[in-house]
Amino acid sequence: MATRAEIVAEAARWEGVPFRHQGRGRTGVDCVGLGRCVGEALGLIGDYDVTNYRRNADGADLLRDLRAHMGREKPVNQAEPGDVLVFRDRVFTIHVGIVIESAPRLQIIHAYAPARMVTRCWPDRVRDAQGV
């Protein structure tokens, strides 16, 4: 099992990679792709069936794998570096990011479409997030 420091370090290696919707590699990733690629690189989750994305674009497969290999969900105020934040709009996952710095100033790394790349940020809507 990878340590939290290894997860953060692997996520940081993706910083600057271009954003690409449904991307799953160094030429471009979306938020789910970043989570999958970091998890796969560290042996935390298995290979991803890219054809399944169109059938399950809500991130359900990523969440299932994360729960199986990384543990339980917890409130965002308990999120630690290496955890995955899951942002939801009602019941659907709309975004994910990897925590790289915890409270009091939570910081994540994520594939962010408006920035057109993987970048760091301090999420302002953490009330809508859950940590995994």
Side-chain angles (χ1 to χ4, degrees):
M1 184 88 161
T3 66
R4 291 182 177 281
E6 290 170 329
I7 295 168
V8 170
E10 180 61 27
R13 283 192 272 282
W14 287 80
E15 197 166 6
V17 169
F19 176 89
R20 191 178 84 216
H21 181 61
Q22 297 184 7
R24 298 295 182 266
R26 293 275 177 189
T27 59
V29 293
D30 61 11
C31 63
V32 171
L34 176 64
R36 292 224 56 102
C37 290
V38 168
E40 287 174 10
L42 298 170
L44 297 172
I45 54 180
D47 291 335
Y48 181 62
D49 176 8
V50 293
T51 62
N52 192 38
Y53 186 85
R54 288 179 186 85
R55 293 191 301 269
N56 235 343
D58 62 359
D61 291 334
L62 174 63
L63 292 176
R64 183 195 65 238
D65 286 348
L66 289 171
R67 285 182 187 120
H69 295 280
M70 298 180 78
R72 64 177 177 80
E73 292 181 12
K74 57 184 161 182
V76 71
N77 64 351
Q78 295 175 11
E80 301 173 70
D83 285 342
V84 175
L85 281 190
V86 178
F87 295 82
R88 297 177 189 261
D89 180 13
R90 302 195 200 293
V91 297
F92 297 104
T93 299
I94 59 168
H95 194 59
V96 298
I98 299 169
V99 176
I100 56 174
E101 189 176 312
S102 57
R105 184 121 164 108
L106 190 69
Q107 186 180 35
I108 64 170
I109 191 163
H110 62 145
Y112 189 51
R116 303 183 54 81
M117 72 174 113
V118 175
T119 187
R120 298 169 186 239
C121 82
W122 294 268
D124 59 353
R125 296 185 62 204
V126 294
R127 70 188 189 303
D128 298 330
Q130 265 186 314
V132 177

